[in-house]
Amino acid sequence: MRSSAWFVANYALLILCALRLIDGTRGHRLCGETDYYYEYTECDSTGSRWRVPIPQSPGACTGLPEPVHGTECTFSCEAGEFLEMSAQECTPCAAGSYSLGSGIRFDQWDSMPAGFSSLATSLEYNPHRDERLTCNSSTWVPQGSYLESNRDECTVSLIYAVHLKKQGSVSFEYQYPDNNLLFEFFIQNDQCQEMDQSADAKWLKLTNHGEWATHTVNLKSGTNILYWRTGGVMMAKGVKPVLLKNVQIEGVAYTSECFPCKPGSLSRIPGSTACEPCPRDTYAGHGASSCTPCNATTQYAAEGSAYCKYRPPCSKKDYFQFHTACDNEGKTHVIYKWIEPKICLDGVTGAEPLPPSGEKEPCPPCNPGFYNNDTATCSPCPPGTFSDGMKRWEVARDHIQSGAGSSDNDYLILNIHIPGFKLPTSMSSHSGTEFGRITFEFEIVCVADCEFYFMMDVNRKSTTVVESWEGTKTRQTYTHVMTQNASVSYTWAFQRTNQPSDVRRYVNDVVRIYSVSVSNVVDGVASRCRACALSTRPSSSTCVPCPPGHYIDARTSRCTECPRNTHLVPHATPGPDACKPCGPASRSDKDHSLCYSDCHFTHTEGNVTLTYDLSLLGSVGSLMNGPSFTSKGTKYFHLFKIGLCGGKMAVCTDNVTDLSIADSQREKGEGISAVKTFICQSTIIPATGRGFYTALASQSINLADTLLGVTVASTLDGIRARPELYPQTTKKVPDVNFYYRSLEPTSSCESGHSAVVTLRCNAEKSTKGELAVPSQCPAGTCDGCTFHFLWESSAACPTCTETDYHQIEGACKGGHQDLLYVWTEPKLCMEGLSLPEKKTLPCEGVEFWVRLGAGLGAFTAVLLVSLTCYFWKKNKRLEYKYSRLVISANKECEMPGADSCAVMEGENEGDMEDEIVYTKPSLLGKLKAIASKGNGEHYEHVQLNSSHSKALVWS
């Protein structure tokens, strides 16, 4: 039993040793050249490094080469060579590949190259936000030969990190045709700190449509993180994306391998520094050293093609027509030609044949300023030349039209260069803002999403889009005024669709330009005679310039100054009618070039006159309304600036494409993108809202360059103020309306923009006041053409007059009374007449009159009591005398006499009764009686009446 166990143990040990022996045999296989590759270690403080082998599969073999000293850290090969790591020597690249020496290039964008990443800036977190409104889908998109940016307002960064062993550079080509997108390029180090860059290096300049520009920036040694960042400002329909290609970085110190040529290109010889595109009708694959021709009968290929395409049957889209030059007979005829290069087959079933040439027709007349001197061409009046730049544009009798182009998304460019402007002699001393104008007549016929752009480039700095049109447009005229004397290039660009396509589907979509006229061009030609002012010297027929604000009197050919408060209209017929009166409450400047408000306004209604002094509002007012948000959540504001009166103008400037302009220049309105006018508007994106380091101002536009007048009326020159848009006021002071208009028409406002600034008196506001827009129209306009502003300020109140205060009389104290003057509440006036000083007048106090009244009352009361007592006593005495008289009368009747006092028989006792009538004397009689006492005449009369009318009177 023990023997069996010993045998099993020894057998297991034998198997284990065998397995170890097998494993040891495998682990000690010597490594070949394919089992490893070489790399350099990081450079040490002395600037040296080591070359070490790195196994492809760790542990697969043994016997790796020992590390050896490498080349210097700053070592690099020449262009067309690569560093062969085995020998550590520079070796020429093989045919079909290329090398930049110490650089790398990215020129193939079928997919995102290794090392590149696209990152969209996250918006503020909101769990309830609609996924469709986030930036998750915004990215840079590879399009084969270039990268295309996003088209929305999301901020998207294209990022690439590179480590340079020495100072180098990065260069790339780009297209940036649309300023609705912001495009910046900046560099950060490995600590995420932005490198110092000038504004010109950071913000990319706009390019013409279809034009590629090159941008180069120097790089420092070490880690450099490159950022290409785009973001929308105010996105409109059909925004053009940024295109990027041919990114080349220098300074990587060495290249350990060559780059193969991309499909459609080749390098014929070893040691090439670049690949060249294959000629037309040939193709090449990846890493080709030669190009393969296509089957010329049935196939074709454009220059730089990776494969051949089959030729389709010819159609009407494959040829075009043009008019031949006028012959000696003054005639021309239509000729049809195949579009070059011809890619269709015209001899197969279903092919459209080339139409025959048309019959001869009379040539159209020469353009204004040119003449036909019995030759086949039109010549300019003075010696000179003209280049129309009509590549891919066709001449068609009375117009030129866009040609076919190689594809539907091509930009068809028409360009004219103006070296400068020169005002006519009669206007050369004018200080106005118009130096010339360009006018062209056009129409657009489209079924696709075509676009037509009119652009200009001043002094070859930056191309800006002046106006654009989309879709079909009827025949119309557009005019642009040049406000500075500079060299300018005007460009027209037409694109049938912005969708990439190799097939021409919309060749019948065209734009036709019937006429182009530029005035006051240096070395230009004359299209008509212009009146001029003659010199005042005797027998002189020389034209002389008129001083500013003067017109030419057609009768005398002399310069005459415009009347007061009128402005000279450019391009008007010479004569007094060239001077147009300024609107109500406005005046002209000394040169009669424009009308403005001097900050004073008077309004009379009935017998009340209100006088306004608006000088405290003379400085430029500004209004930032918002914020508003785009569909993607981008925050933006609208900034309005208003130069109300006093001749001060508002200035709006973009800081995106013109960051190199100094702030002092911006404030003066200098620079291509500066707008200097009465009212202007800019779109502001705050720095915190988009991750930019400064607030961005873009899309500065002119809203008002002409003051029509100042009035309290609600309508002026066809422009209506809308007080119902603002909160109603019960104050008696009327609102003052400033009416403005812009003479520059736009595609949406054929008559140009207009604006109404309503000044409202509000004593509770400061003198600077507050600007506001209607709550129903937060953008300042309800129809896109007329803008409304409400400016509430205490400075908008009329100046104070005597009717604005009243008098208060104080109490009479110590024989003196104070007169005070206070403002009538609510106070609706400013400045003007001040309150009179307090006055003190002498007065009689109330106590004197009280005492006098009390004395008179007491005297009257005593007098009345005395009179009452006296007359009461007199009355008693009179009663006493009367009673005695009655008694005496009774005694007399008892005495015998002739006449009996008794009642006779047959007499009525009542009839015989005597009547005693007592007449009470009046007060005046009593007074007379009292007065007569002194004369002894003291008696009273008593009348006794009987039925026989017989009266006895006692005295």
Side-chain angles (χ1 to χ4, degrees), residues 334-357:
V334 177
I335 291 181
Y336 296 88
K337 278 191 173 183
W338 295 111
I339 296 174
E340 296 294 339
K342 182 182 177 184
I343 62 173
C344 63
L345 297 175
D346 57 352
V348 298
T349 304
E352 184 78 20
L354 190 68
S357 299

Side-chain angles (χ1 to χ4, degrees), residues 627-636:
S628 300
F629 296 87
T630 64
S631 60
K632 297 288 186 179
T634 302
K635 181 193 297 185
Y636 67 93

Side-chain angles (χ1 to χ4, degrees), residues 511-572:
V511 57
R512 301 184 181 98
I513 300 179
Y514 293 91
S515 65
V516 178
S517 174
V518 186
S519 64
N520 302 339
V521 178
V522 173
D523 299 330
V525 297
S527 59
R528 60 184 175 88
C529 293
R530 183 193 298 267
C532 73
L534 299 178
S535 174
T536 57
R537 286 183 287 182
S539 66
S540 176
S541 60
T542 305
C543 288
V544 295
C546 283
H550 289 64
Y551 66 92
I552 302 174
D553 192 333
R555 295 174 301 175
T556 62
S557 297
R558 294 289 186 265
C559 297
T560 305
E561 184 177 5
C562 286
R564 184 183 178 187
N565 291 335
T566 62
H567 67 284
L568 188 63
V569 179
H571 307 286

Side-chain angles (χ1 to χ4, degrees), residues 620-625 640-642 644 757-759 768-773 788-793:
V620 176
S622 61
L623 166 66
M624 181 90 76
N625 72 330
F640 298 96
K641 292 186 178 181
I642 301 176
L644 190 69
V757 180
T758 300
L759 299 185
K768 295 298 181 183
E770 293 182 4
L771 269 167
V773 294
H788 299 272
F789 303 94
L790 176 64
W791 197 336
E792 291 187 282
S793 168

Side-chain angles (χ1 to χ4, degrees), residues 622-670:
S622 61
L623 166 66
M624 181 90 76
N625 72 330
S628 300
F629 296 87
T630 64
S631 60
K632 297 288 186 179
T634 302
K635 181 193 297 185
Y636 67 93
F637 298 84
H638 279 146
L639 173 64
F640 298 96
K641 292 186 178 181
I642 301 176
L644 190 69
C645 61
K648 295 182 180 179
M649 295 298 213
V651 178
C652 296
T653 307
D654 294 351
N655 67 349
V656 176
T657 56
D658 266 352
L659 287 178
S660 58
I661 297 178
D663 292 338
S664 58
Q665 291 178 291
R666 276 196 200 95
E667 293 175 359
K668 296 178 182 178
E670 301 176 359

Side-chain angles (χ1 to χ4, degrees), residues 454-468:
F454 173 61
M455 302 170 288
M456 72 173 183
D457 180 4
V458 179
N459 292 330
R460 301 188 182 277
K461 287 186 176 181
S462 177
T463 301
T464 58
V465 177
V466 179
E467 190 58 85
S468 63

Side-chain angles (χ1 to χ4, degrees), residues 32 106 108 245 280 351 357 359 366 377 410 421 442 486 489 510 552 651 705 844 849 878-879:
F106 301 95
Q108 188 172 351
K245 70 175 184 179
R280 184 176 298 151
S357 299
E359 303 233 347
C366 291
T377 60
D410 280 355
F421 296 89
F442 70 98
S489 292
V510 296
I552 302 174
V651 178
D705 52 21
E844 293 181 354
W849 293 106
L878 181 61
E879 288 180 357

